[in-house]
Amino acid sequence: MNRKKISWFGFNLTQKQSVHIFILSIAGLIISVFLLMTLVFPIIMINIYYDNYYPDDSYIIMTIISMLPFMFLSGVVFLLSLYSLIQCRKIAKYYSPLVDPVLEPKTKSQYNEVTPDPIAKFCPNCGKIKKSHEKFCTNCGQ
């Protein structure tokens, strides 16, 4: 599976971004399930305990209609969190380290080292080979 084919709402994410969105989508999933349960619980309780007080079903229907926008909003948050959870898991799982390599921290000795450049550089004035870390030519001073 190619990393470029997997996107989150059309955005290509890095592995770090997908992990952050994954954590946020878990929190959104838990909160939306909690909200959905708090909205469904009164309907269940009305059906169990208040059946004798309200013989017709008009009170239950009114309760469902009054909670419908909140149920819809909680359902949308649940579906968006679920989609984000699935997509971010795929992005993090199939992320290629060759595209965005992880940089390792340097030690003190690596900062002091001068790495030679494999491409030889020449002085534009005299033509002598110049080392990559040298700013001026050792032969003519250019």
Side-chain angles (χ1 to χ4, degrees):
M1 197 170 228
N2 192 0
R3 182 182 80 84
K4 292 183 180 179
K5 291 183 181 179
I6 301 172
S7 63
W8 178 72
F9 295 109
F11 296 106
N12 290 329
L13 300 176
T14 63
Q15 188 174 15
K16 188 175 182 180
Q17 291 170 336
S18 66
V19 169
H20 290 298
I21 293 174
F22 183 81
I23 293 169
L24 289 174
S25 62
I26 289 174
L29 203 65
I30 292 170
I31 291 170
S32 63
V33 166
F34 177 74
L35 288 175
L36 283 172
M37 291 306 294
T38 58
L39 292 173
V40 171
F41 184 72
I43 297 170
I44 294 170
M45 297 311 286
I46 287 170
N47 203 10
I48 293 173
Y49 291 116
Y50 296 115
D51 204 22
N52 296 334
Y53 297 113
Y54 302 104
D56 57 345
D57 292 333
S58 64
Y59 187 73
I60 295 173
I61 292 171
M62 287 183 344
T63 306
I64 291 173
I65 290 173
S66 67
M67 291 183 177
L68 202 58
F70 303 107
M71 287 183 185
F72 178 74
L73 187 63
S74 297
V76 168
V77 170
F78 177 79
L79 291 176
L80 288 175
S81 297
L82 189 65
Y83 172 77
S84 297
L85 196 72
I86 293 169
Q87 287 299 102
C88 289
R89 183 174 180 269
K90 286 180 185 177
I91 291 171
K93 184 177 180 182
Y94 295 111
Y95 195 81
S96 174
L98 299 175
V99 175
D100 191 18
V102 177
L103 298 175
E104 296 177 8
K106 291 184 175 182
T107 61
K108 282 187 176 181
S109 63
Q110 288 175 334
Y111 282 115
N112 296 333
E113 285 180 6
V114 177
T115 56
D117 194 5
I119 300 172
K121 294 183 180 178
F122 297 95
C123 175
N125 192 24
C126 65
K128 184 180 175 195
I129 294 178
K130 155 172 117 163
K131 296 179 183 172
S132 64
H133 67 279
E134 294 176 340
K135 293 183 180 178
F136 301 101
C137 179
T138 55
N139 188 27
C140 66
Q142 177 70 21

